[in-house]
Amino acid sequence: MNPPKYPASSVTPTQDNLFRHGRSMSNESASTIFKHRDGLQPPFKDGREGRSLSNAALTFGPRGSSLAQGPPPGSFSADLKTITTSRAGTPRTEQGPFFADYRTADPEKTSEQRQTELRDRINKETKIKVGSENLLEALISKNAKQAKEQRMRVEAELGSSNRKIIELKYQLEEEIERSQRPQTPPRERLSGIFQSSPLKSPRRSNEGAESDMPVTEESESPTYVLSEILQTLENEGMQPDYYVERANRLVDLFKKYPSLKHDLAWPIFGLRVQTMLLSPSRDVVAAGYRVTRHAIADRRSIQTIRRLNTDELVILSLVKDSKANIEREQALKFVRAFLDVKGGIHELSNSVLRTVVSVAEHHDDRLRNMSILTLLELLIRKSSTVIASGGMASLTEALLDGSYQGSESLAYAILYLFDKPGDRFYLESCHELDAAFTIFTDPIAVHVTEEKLKSSARLITALLNSWPGLFSVANDGFAATRGLLQSLSYQSLLARDLILDIIFAILQIKAPSWSSSFLAGRRLTTYGRVANLTTDVPAAVIPNKPEEEEERRVSLTEHYTAIMLAVLVQSGLHEALASMIREEAESALRRKAALLQGEVLNMTNRLLPFTFSADFQAIPKLVGPVGFVPIDTSLAQVGMIYQVDSVSRTLHRSQGATKPSFDSAKYLKQQSSVTSRASDSTKPKADFEMDDIRFRAAIVETQILNHVKYAKWNWDLIEDLVEGPLRNPRRLSEAITGTKFLKRLLGFYRPFKYRFSDMPSTKLNQRYVRVGVSLMKAMLQNNEGILYLSESKFLRQLGECLAQLDRTSGLTSSAPLFSLWRTSETLTGGYFSLLGALSSNSQGLHMIERWHMVNIFYHIMDLKDRADLVELLLGNMDFTLDSHLRVMLSKALTACDKHIRIFSTRLLRKYATLAPDSSSGSGPRSPLSVCEWAIRLLVTQLYDPEVEVSEVAVQILEESCNWKSHLEYIVRCRPQLDHLNEIGAPLLLRFLSTSLGYQYLDRLDYITQEMDDWFSLRNYRYVTLVEASLTRAFTALMQGPSRSSPDELLRPQDYGSLPPHFYRELTRTQEGCDLLRDSGHFHEFVTTITESWAEKDDVEGLTKLKGCLWAVGNVGSMDLAADFLEESDVVRWIVRIAEQSEVTSLRGTAFFVLGLISRSLHGMEIVAEHGWNAATDQLGRSIGYCLPQQLSVFFSVKLPRNSKQGQIKSRAKDVAPRPTTGEDGVHASILGFVADTANAVLAKKAANDLNGQVDVRDHVDSFASVELYRKVRDVLGRHNFRLPVRRFLLDLFDKGVMRKIVLDEDESENESILTERAGRARPRLA
């Protein structure tokens, strides 16, 4: 039997591998086929063994088992109740979790879910890898013989983790690439039921299809195809799969031709839909909802659909039990489709919404989350609808009990209502969110499950990271935050730990890398070499950091952190932490509190004005009068103070030369760096001038002369010698001629000795690369070292190994040193770092050219399949000198693939952002000359055909503009950015900051056009941009640190920072200030603020007001714009908005704007006159963080006395139909019983009475009455009933009632229906 052309639905991973690559078995050789049949796996391409699949685990079905083509995985089976796939004859391969093929595992998972799983597994393996590396580092200090076995096991586990990470990353890249390929629209969750049927290639359809199936071709009119499908739906009495298959084809047709929705003949189409929705088969009903949902085009089509009486059908479907989940889900999706149409939200009836609310209140219902999400969207878009349907109570309950996974989205919806006074009336008490604190502040409620505590912690963090949430919490005298901090004294260990985590999160404190070791009780001076974390930054570099860069970047998140810190300080944060440090019995929590106390003291000094921070720097609650404190307590307090001080000093060392985002911290860092260099410079100087005896003793102590095995060498001492004494020509000469120290050390790096090149690439082993780089630099500093290095075998062997990559060299190897596996798994890639050290020196470049390595570099650039080598080569070379390497980089920037061009462009950032140094002169190696070379290349990259490359170049040039000399040189290059549109706009804005750039842009007529554009439109778009930036920053904070990406190395994190503003850049020059004054725009902004400062309801008016505030704030932050503030007195109105506006987000905008104004000296004086203080550095310069003197005034918000909820609910209930004495007596009694079922006390008795009515034969016809059904439906639509009650009440009625209502049939009380109804089983109330 010939192999099938397509695989069956259950294939082995081996078979799947064949078909995935598009190769049929008929094209394979016989030996290959039998190899796959025998379960043999092909070897890895890179020669690695890895964890191979077990051949013994393969099992095969019996001979004769069918290999006929079956439905593909996830396909639609016509018989919806019997979707099964036999696996009896399927070969199965038992695979480990590492090599599982995600393309065959769980086909119902989406690509995003598979990517998430892969990323989680990568994170897990990375943690194992880091832990193994830390363990290896700890084992080094032990005896080599005792720890040998442990090191071998740890190294094996480390190698296994590295292989797993590489394989998982490969699978992730493959999955991402597969998800980006053009394909059919993604399936719904129930992909096995609603599989789209293709309209073309009918030859591929199953042979068992019905003969009357219309054959559709691609060339046929879609209208004709639609009419044919509708005609086939007229057939009655067919199997459910017949109707479901045609419904799928209709959906496919609507997706392919959306215009068909507008040309539907609704009398015909509606009748077909009604017939499907009335079908006894749940699957046909579900297919009917799906077709109707995809037929919605606009609000008019929704109105037409509602005239088909779909509301009654949706209500009936939603109240069904879990057996009809497919139907219920499609019915709810049909309801949600109304939200996607403009005006469709107004077509949702109250009866349908009441039913959705009942689903949301039912905790065990699997559609509960979807129902809550639907109510959330309705609450944002039309709050009154949710209030009238009673949905607010279910949302609040879901928020507080923590059962809904997206509790943050629930909180944001409620905060959206709290923001504006008009929406605030919809809240019952405006304190709904305070209950999130109750679980921590109540000593009894705090002993709940861990998951509920963590959910409440996430909810509190989300509340405090938004202006409405902060105002709602701080409005009542900071009672909520005070209670939270007082809860640190409760007994629950988990609750106290989570409260500390909340404070870390809302203050945006990132735990340092050594925090886990510190909390575990290790000393900071011994673990992980924390004491040596000072960065190796030359002294000349630190003072040359551009102050303009610090002044330009305005961090809104840090300004928000300042007000958040002030709230916590006012709520007693210092006292709570001090008490916890004194009394906490758990050492880990006590150390965590000490770590937080040190950070808070530092932030208080940095971010808060002196009036806030002066009283807390002395730690009054932790340090008391020694004479009045017992000696034991005093010693404990002094010990904790020492611990806090140790944390602060360690934090400073670990941060190194990281650039802060404010001037005061920069000044403090410069001052402390001078002191640290003065104290730390003694040891390197002494090492450099080491005498003969000490030097020889150190050489012996390295163990290089005593042992050939490098594992026994003292590498810490070797590193100190290479970086110290060996830079002295005399000591280097002695090491070369007097001992074999340098010969053996350099021999360790020789490629053909396979010592350095065979070591696994781990974090711990990177020290061998660092020693090698330092050795190269030390030998290049004097002539004897240069001569020794040039004559050694090291460079000759390295050149020979590189020549193996050059196809024209004639040198080949079956196992080349620089293979893909070796460069990724071993330290072989470190040779490029050593070559990079040589390329930084002219003599080193001469050595590279001597062994013809430059020619090999050019040929490596042409290797299309080794992008990793190209990145290693370019990323490690030093392009400071004018050499062939610069030509090679220019080639990579223009002639290589897009990925390499982006990588090469990013490399230019290092040279384009060099600080100009006047002392270095103007030679070819001066920073200014190197920077100009990089800028010229970046300007060329602006015209790259790929927009991504140009965008990277714009970002680097924008960062280079932080130095005035660089900015003027970029302007002299006259870049043309018209083709980049919005991408090039930030760079053009930077040109405005100098007179030269202003004149250049003025000649291009850019300034006037841009000014008109900003005044009319972009100034208001700026509001959305800023708020989106803040939201993204706080969202990233909630989700934890994002994965590292190349963009993070390119520029500082933009989220939470103030975007560039045209008027701010314009007022940096006197010419721009004159133009702004002549245009009258600033006067227009001030007029809008003074006239509309009390705006509270109009959304467009609020956006316009915020835009004017941002414009005034950006102008006022410049020193040249002092006259604008003085003449207009606009600061007084901004302060009034910040303290009296009823819109919390508008208050937050005014708060940020006052901080901007305080950045200038004149603005700081003006805001101080109005009762706002600005934080300053030690030189008295403002850092742009301004706070009110009285926080209680700032956070006071007027809350509504009467809520609209009661009014809306009362109106909804007043119109509810009530039984009267004039109605039929039976119907009146039934309606009375229906009303009683809403009462929890009377529900059981009312249910029994209703069942009694069903048992009476004379009353059976009442439950077949359309009139009674409509009345009961109206009662259900006006009041809250639980979902089981609704199901019970609707199940009382005869099934024929719905058909009469939907099809508008005449009531017929024939005896057969009544008899059938009387004999039916009675429903029961759950």
Side-chain angles (χ1 to χ4, degrees):
M1 182 177 67
N2 295 329
K5 187 174 181 181
Y6 300 101
S9 59
S10 56
V11 295
T12 65
T14 306
Q15 294 169 333
D16 185 45
N17 186 54
L18 292 174
F19 289 102
R20 187 184 306 122
H21 292 84
R23 296 195 300 265
S24 173
M25 281 189 175
S26 59
N27 297 329
E28 301 285 344
S29 63
S31 60
T32 306
I33 296 175
F34 287 118
K35 182 183 294 185
H36 288 300
R37 286 176 60 93
D38 293 338
L40 300 179
Q41 299 295 326
F44 289 94
K45 295 182 179 179
D46 52 8
R48 293 177 289 126
E49 294 181 1
R51 297 181 182 177
S52 60
L53 304 178
S54 176
N55 296 334
L58 295 176
T59 58
F60 297 91
R63 185 181 299 274
S65 59
S66 175
L67 297 177
Q69 178 182 355
S75 63
F76 168 68
S77 175
D79 189 0
L80 299 179
K81 301 178 181 178
T82 58
I83 305 177
T84 57
T85 305
S86 175
R87 304 186 62 88
T90 302
R92 183 184 178 195
T93 303
E94 297 292 341
Q95 302 185 17
F98 172 49
F99 285 100
D101 195 340
Y102 276 79
R103 289 166 293 192
T104 57
D106 200 352
E108 292 189 0
K109 291 185 178 180
T110 62
S111 177
E112 291 77 8
Q113 292 174 335
R114 290 192 292 268
Q115 292 178 29
T116 302
E117 289 184 5
L118 287 171
R119 289 192 178 97
D120 292 341
R121 296 178 65 187
I122 290 174
N123 292 336
K124 180 181 178 181
E125 294 297 335
T126 303
K127 292 178 181 178
I128 296 176
K129 175 184 176 182
V130 173
S132 302
E133 290 174 347
N134 292 336
L135 183 56
L136 273 179
E137 186 175 352
L139 290 175
I140 290 178
S141 59
K142 292 186 177 181
N143 192 318
K145 293 183 179 179
Q146 296 177 356
K148 181 178 179 180
E149 233 178 81
Q150 297 180 5
R151 283 203 306 269
M152 292 178 63
R153 289 198 300 267
V154 175
E155 287 177 355
E157 183 63 29
L158 188 60
S160 174
S161 297
N162 287 328
R163 288 192 297 271
K164 289 181 182 180
I165 291 173
I166 293 174
E167 182 67 21
L168 288 171
K169 286 182 178 179
Y170 173 76
Q171 292 182 8
L172 178 60
E173 292 175 0
E174 194 177 30
E175 184 62 40
I176 293 174
E177 181 182 359
R178 187 185 305 109
S179 65
Q180 294 175 350
R181 294 173 187 165
Q183 56 186 3
T184 56
R187 297 187 178 100
E188 304 286 343
R189 185 190 63 81
L190 302 173
S191 57
I193 295 179
F194 299 121
Q195 168 73 21
S196 299
S197 302
L199 295 178
K200 58 182 180 179
S201 302
R203 292 183 300 274
R204 295 185 182 180
S205 59
N206 294 333
E207 296 179 0
E210 294 83 347
S211 59
D212 59 347
M213 175 74 68
V215 180
T216 60
E217 299 292 341
E218 191 71 24
S219 58
E220 291 183 351
S221 169
T223 307
Y224 174 77
V225 176
L226 175 63
S227 62
E228 287 292 321
I229 296 175
L230 293 178
Q231 186 176 359
T232 58
L233 287 175
E234 292 182 2
N235 300 331
E236 298 181 359
M238 307 298 292
Q239 293 296 323
D241 62 326
Y242 177 88
Y243 302 103
V244 172
E245 197 276 336
R246 271 115 185 117
N248 289 335
R249 296 183 64 214
L250 273 178
V251 172
D252 223 8
L253 191 66
F254 288 145
K255 288 181 179 180
K256 192 171 185 179
Y257 303 101
S259 60
L260 283 179
K261 303 176 184 178
H262 302 276
D263 301 328
L264 286 175
W266 280 102
I268 300 176
F269 181 80
L271 183 59
R272 304 294 177 269
V273 168
Q274 287 177 323
T275 305
M276 295 183 68
L277 294 179
L278 290 171
S279 172
S281 172
R282 301 188 183 100
D283 306 318
V284 176
V285 177
Y289 282 124
R290 186 167 182 251
V291 170
T292 312
R293 171 163 56 93
H294 283 86
I296 295 176
D298 49 22
R299 185 176 180 180
R300 181 176 299 178
S301 63
I302 293 179
Q303 294 172 348
T304 304
I305 291 173
R306 289 194 63 197
R307 284 195 290 269
L308 300 176
N309 298 308
T310 54
D311 287 355
E312 285 76 5
L313 292 166
V314 168
I315 294 172
L316 186 62
S317 296
L318 288 177
V319 301
K320 291 184 178 180
D321 56 14
S322 58
K323 296 179 181 179
N325 273 335
I326 298 177
E327 175 184 342
R328 298 177 69 235
E329 181 175 341
Q330 291 300 319
L332 188 54
K333 287 183 176 180
F334 170 71
V335 174
R336 289 182 54 81
F338 286 29
L339 308 180
D340 299 331
V341 178
K342 183 179 180 180
I345 191 173
H346 302 290
E347 299 299 328
L348 286 171
S349 66
N350 197 55
S351 301
V352 173
L353 288 181
R354 290 274 185 182
T355 309
V356 174
V357 170
S358 66
V359 176
E361 292 175 346
H362 197 59
H363 289 269
D364 298 332
D365 200 298
R366 60 183 302 271
L367 296 182
R368 180 172 183 255
N369 290 342
M370 189 186 297
S371 301
I372 292 176
L373 182 61
T374 304
L375 294 177
L376 274 179
E377 297 181 22
L378 286 170
L379 184 65
I380 298 296
R381 299 173 62 178
K382 193 178 180 183
S383 305
S384 60
T385 304
V386 179
I387 301 300
S389 60
M392 198 63 195
S394 60
L395 293 179
T396 306
E397 180 185 1
L399 176 67
L400 299 181
D401 63 13
S403 58
Y404 182 61
Q405 296 297 326
S407 57
E408 294 88 351
S409 59
L410 273 169
Y412 290 144
I414 297 177
L415 292 178
Y416 175 81
L417 298 181
F418 186 85
D419 184 27
K420 289 179 288 189
D423 296 334
R424 208 172 293 153
F425 280 96
Y426 290 116
L427 299 177
E428 187 71 30
S429 63
C430 294
H431 292 285
E432 285 83 356
L433 298 175
D434 290 351
F437 294 83
T438 305
I439 196 171
F440 289 101
T441 56
D442 188 353
I444 299 177
V446 76
H447 300 285
V448 294
T449 61
E450 179 180 353
E451 185 60 33
K452 193 168 185 179
L453 279 172
K454 291 182 177 180
S455 176
S456 297
R458 291 193 300 268
L459 180 58
I460 292 174
T461 306
L463 291 179
L464 297 178
N465 279 333
S466 65
W467 282 116
L470 183 56
F471 275 95
S472 66
V473 169
N475 183 42
D476 191 13
F478 314 112
T481 51
R482 289 181 189 276
L484 184 67
L485 294 176
Q486 291 172 1
S487 302
L488 288 173
S489 60
Y490 290 167
Q491 295 182 357
S492 176
L493 184 65
L494 177 60
R496 298 201 304 273
D497 188 28
L498 286 176
I499 292 174
L500 293 180
D501 289 338
I502 291 173
I503 300 174
F504 271 102
I506 61 181
L507 295 182
Q508 302 186 44
I509 300 175
K510 296 181 179 179
S513 58
W514 44 264
S515 60
S516 58
S517 304
F518 170 71
L519 298 180
R522 298 186 180 96
R523 293 181 59 187
L524 296 177
T525 56
T526 58
Y527 183 79
R529 300 174 62 88
V530 177
N532 299 326
L533 285 176
T534 51
T535 51
D536 220 0
V537 181
V541 176
I542 296 179
N544 286 333
K545 287 294 181 181
E547 294 185 4
E548 187 177 358
E549 178 184 2
E550 304 295 342
E551 184 269 335
R552 281 181 180 275
R553 187 174 183 270
V554 180
S555 177
L556 299 180
T557 53
E558 285 196 352
H559 196 185
Y560 185 87
T561 302
I563 190 67
M564 189 69 248
L565 179 61
V567 170
L568 292 178
V569 168
Q570 290 285 344
S571 303
L573 176 62
H574 285 291
E575 294 81 356
L577 291 178
S579 176
M580 191 173 184
I581 292 173
R582 290 197 314 267
E583 302 171 2
E584 179 60 50
E586 179 67 27
S587 61
L589 273 183
R590 187 171 63 251
R591 283 174 165 262
K592 192 172 186 178
L595 177 62
L596 180 58
Q597 181 76 293
E599 290 276 11
V600 168
L601 289 173
N602 184 28
M603 294 179 65
T604 305
N605 185 48
R606 280 196 293 117
L607 303 179
L608 299 185
F610 183 75
T611 55
F612 282 90
S613 60
D615 297 336
F616 304 103
Q617 294 301 320
I619 325 180
K621 297 298 181 181
L622 192 59
V623 181
V626 179
F628 300 96
V629 180
I631 186 64
D632 296 338
T633 306
S634 178
L635 290 176
Q637 292 176 358
V638 172
M640 294 313 301
I641 292 174
Y642 171 76
Q643 203 168 52
V644 171
D645 180 66
S646 176
V647 167
S648 301
R649 286 186 283 106
T650 306
L651 281 170
H652 175 72
R653 288 197 301 268
S654 63
Q655 289 171 357
T658 304
K659 177 177 66 61
S661 59
F662 39 86
D663 294 339
S664 64
K666 177 185 174 183
Y667 171 77
L668 292 174
K669 184 186 70 176
Q670 292 177 359
Q671 298 301 318
S672 61
S673 63
V674 173
T675 306
S676 63
R677 287 196 302 272
S679 60
D680 295 342
S681 61
T682 57
K683 185 174 182 290
K685 184 176 181 181
D687 290 342
F688 185 82
E689 298 176 355
M690 186 180 291
D691 56 25
D692 296 345
I693 298 176
R694 292 176 55 199
F695 178 70
R696 291 168 187 167
I699 290 293
V700 174
E701 289 178 6
T702 59
Q703 302 297 322
I704 290 181
L705 303 180
N706 301 331
H707 299 282
V708 180
K709 296 183 178 180
Y710 64 88
K712 297 183 178 181
W713 296 353
N714 188 346
W715 282 98
D716 293 333
L717 182 57
I718 294 173
E719 186 174 2
D720 294 338
L721 288 175
V722 171
E723 294 179 353
L726 288 183
R727 295 180 184 264
N728 189 331
R730 180 181 175 184
R731 300 300 169 214
L732 181 63
S733 176
E734 184 178 350
I736 293 174
T737 59
T739 65
K740 293 184 179 181
F741 173 81
L742 206 60
K743 179 181 178 181
R744 290 188 177 180
L745 181 58
L746 193 60
F748 167 75
Y749 291 97
R750 283 166 53 182
F752 291 157
K753 286 200 172 183
Y754 295 103
R755 294 181 177 180
F756 174 78
S757 58
D758 274 2
M759 301 186 70
S761 178
T762 62
K763 180 182 178 181
L764 181 62
N765 289 343
Q766 290 302 316
R767 64 176 179 176
Y768 302 117
V769 181
R770 294 195 299 269
V771 172
V773 171
S774 300
L775 181 62
M776 296 295 110
K777 292 180 179 179
M779 299 184 71
L780 288 174
Q781 289 187 0
N782 60 80
N783 295 331
E784 191 169 356
I786 293 173
L787 180 62
Y788 183 83
L789 184 60
S790 61
E791 297 299 332
S792 66
K793 296 181 181 180
F794 167 71
L795 290 177
R796 183 174 60 192
Q797 292 182 5
L798 185 57
E800 183 177 345
C801 293
L802 287 171
Q804 297 172 2
L805 301 170
D806 187 2
R807 297 185 178 93
T808 62
S809 66
L811 296 178
T812 59
S813 174
S814 58
L817 184 71
F818 291 97
S819 65
L820 177 61
W821 181 83
R822 293 185 67 90
T823 54
S824 60
E825 291 289 330
T826 66
L827 291 182
T828 303
Y831 282 117
F832 288 99
S833 299
L834 274 61
L835 291 174
L838 293 177
S839 66
S840 62
N841 187 280
S842 57
Q843 295 295 333
L845 281 174
H846 179 70
M847 296 180 197
I848 292 176
E849 294 175 355
R850 176 187 176 187
W851 296 106
H852 308 287
M853 294 186 191
V854 175
N855 296 337
I856 300 175
F857 291 164
Y858 279 113
H859 293 141
I860 290 177
M861 301 292 297
D862 297 330
L863 298 177
K864 302 298 183 182
D865 57 340
R866 292 304 304 274
D868 61 311
L869 271 183
V870 178
E871 292 184 1
L872 276 174
L873 175 61
L874 296 176
N876 288 283
M877 291 297 110
D878 192 326
F879 301 98
T880 304
L881 299 178
D882 190 4
S883 63
H884 279 283
L885 297 180
R886 287 190 177 183
V887 181
M888 182 180 66
L889 180 61
S890 300
K891 178 182 178 181
L893 289 169
T894 55
C896 289
D897 296 336
K898 169 186 169 182
H899 174 70
I900 300 299
R901 296 205 305 274
I902 294 177
F903 179 81
S904 305
T905 305
R906 290 193 175 116
L907 291 178
L908 291 174
R909 177 187 176 274
K910 172 184 176 182
Y911 307 98
T913 57
L914 285 175
D917 188 3
S918 58
S919 62
S920 61
S922 58
R925 298 190 61 177
S926 65
L928 184 60
S929 177
V930 175
C931 184
E932 290 177 353
W933 161 77
I935 287 174
R936 289 194 298 271
L937 291 181
L938 287 172
V939 171
T940 305
Q941 293 303 98
L942 294 176
Y943 312 111
D944 192 276
E946 295 291 341
V947 180
E948 291 87 348
V949 180
S950 302
E951 186 175 3
V952 173
V954 167
Q955 293 173 357
I956 299 175
L957 287 174
E958 184 184 356
E959 187 176 351
S960 180
C961 290
N962 293 325
W963 287 271
K964 185 177 180 180
S965 58
H966 298 353
L967 190 152
E968 292 180 348
Y969 184 78
I970 296 174
V971 174
R972 286 196 294 271
C973 292
R974 305 176 66 86
Q976 299 294 328
L977 301 175
D978 296 341
H979 62 290
L980 296 179
N981 298 326
E982 294 294 330
I983 296 177
L987 183 58
L988 291 176
L989 287 181
R990 300 299 295 269
F991 289 176
L992 288 174
S993 59
T994 62
S995 298
L996 181 63
Y998 181 90
Q999 295 171 7
Y1000 170 68
L1001 296 177
D1002 190 31
R1003 287 194 296 270
L1004 297 177
D1005 198 23
Y1006 166 82
I1007 299 178
T1008 55
Q1009 295 181 8
E1010 193 74 4
M1011 178 180 284
D1012 294 339
D1013 190 16
W1014 273 82
F1015 183 75
S1016 60
L1017 182 62
R1018 295 180 64 180
N1019 194 41
Y1020 310 117
R1021 290 181 179 175
Y1022 186 83
V1023 177
T1024 305
L1025 181 62
V1026 172
E1027 294 179 353
S1029 176
L1030 279 171
T1031 303
R1032 185 66 181 269
F1034 288 131
T1035 303
L1037 178 65
M1038 288 288 299
Q1039 296 175 352
S1042 59
R1043 298 178 180 86
S1044 59
S1045 63
D1047 293 339
E1048 295 179 0
L1049 303 177
L1050 181 66
R1051 61 184 305 174
Q1053 182 59 259
D1054 288 337
Y1055 297 133
S1057 299
L1058 188 69
H1061 198 284
F1062 173 80
Y1063 289 102
R1064 187 183 185 198
E1065 303 299 328
L1066 184 67
T1067 50
R1068 289 182 182 274
T1069 60
Q1070 189 60 46
E1071 297 91 338
C1073 291
D1074 296 339
L1075 179 62
L1076 180 60
R1077 188 181 301 276
D1078 296 339
S1079 65
H1081 290 181
F1082 189 83
H1083 177 70
E1084 292 291 336
F1085 295 146
V1086 174
T1087 302
T1088 303
I1089 292 174
T1090 55
E1091 294 179 354
S1092 306
W1093 72 273
E1095 182 64 54
K1096 56 183 179 181
D1097 291 324
D1098 185 19
V1099 177
E1100 294 183 1
L1102 287 173
T1103 303
K1104 184 178 180 180
L1105 180 58
K1106 290 178 181 179
C1108 295
L1109 286 173
W1110 283 118
V1112 170
N1114 279 280
V1115 172
S1117 63
M1118 296 291 102
D1119 291 327
L1120 293 177
D1123 294 340
F1124 291 96
L1125 298 179
E1126 192 69 32
E1127 296 170 358
S1128 61
D1129 194 24
V1130 68
V1131 176
R1132 178 169 60 89
W1133 293 96
I1134 299 176
V1135 171
R1136 180 176 296 182
I1137 293 175
E1139 296 180 350
Q1140 301 180 18
S1141 176
E1142 297 185 39
V1143 183
T1144 59
S1145 60
L1146 185 59
R1147 282 194 179 190
T1149 302
F1151 171 79
F1152 288 134
V1153 169
L1154 289 174
L1156 275 177
I1157 295 175
S1158 69
R1159 296 178 72 87
S1160 63
L1161 179 60
H1162 191 70
M1164 183 173 61
E1165 296 174 354
I1166 295 177
V1167 297
E1169 295 175 357
H1170 291 85
W1172 285 63
N1173 295 333
T1176 58
D1177 58 14
Q1178 290 184 349
L1179 298 181
R1181 298 175 300 185
S1182 173
I1183 60 177
Y1185 303 146
C1186 185
L1187 300 178
Q1189 294 178 359
Q1190 297 181 355
L1191 290 178
S1192 58
V1193 176
F1194 176 70
F1195 284 109
S1196 61
V1197 179
K1198 295 181 180 179
L1199 300 180
R1201 296 182 179 178
N1202 299 319
S1203 173
K1204 287 184 179 179
Q1205 283 199 31
Q1207 302 175 10
I1208 296 175
K1209 292 179 180 178
S1210 61
R1211 288 199 303 267
K1213 294 180 179 180
D1214 287 343
V1215 295
R1218 301 177 181 273
T1220 60
T1221 56
E1223 294 177 329
D1224 180 75
V1226 176
H1227 287 192
S1229 61
I1230 291 176
L1231 290 176
F1233 295 145
V1234 168
D1236 290 342
T1237 55
N1239 191 322
V1241 179
L1242 303 177
K1244 187 173 183 180
K1245 181 178 182 302
N1248 293 331
D1249 293 337
L1250 287 173
N1251 280 324
Q1253 295 288 336
V1254 175
D1255 290 339
V1256 179
R1257 183 175 180 85
D1258 296 337
H1259 296 168
V1260 174
D1261 57 343
S1262 299
F1263 291 99
S1265 170
V1266 174
E1267 179 183 0
L1268 180 61
Y1269 180 88
R1270 293 186 187 277
K1271 292 180 180 180
V1272 172
R1273 198 276 313 269
D1274 290 339
V1275 173
L1276 295 178
R1278 302 296 181 183
H1279 298 270
N1280 288 333
F1281 288 83
R1282 294 185 300 113
L1283 183 63
V1285 175
R1286 290 177 179 271
R1287 183 185 306 127
F1288 167 78
L1289 294 176
L1290 294 181
D1291 284 346
L1292 292 172
F1293 287 88
D1294 189 82
K1295 294 181 179 179
V1297 175
M1298 187 58 62
R1299 185 175 186 88
K1300 299 174 187 176
I1301 295 175
V1302 174
L1303 300 180
D1304 294 329
E1305 294 180 351
D1306 296 333
E1307 289 195 45
S1308 58
E1309 309 289 344
N1310 58 69
E1311 191 68 24
S1312 60
I1313 295 180
L1314 299 180
T1315 303
E1316 179 185 358
R1317 174 64 188 174
R1320 190 159 58 90
R1322 294 178 297 173
R1324 295 295 179 183
L1325 178 60

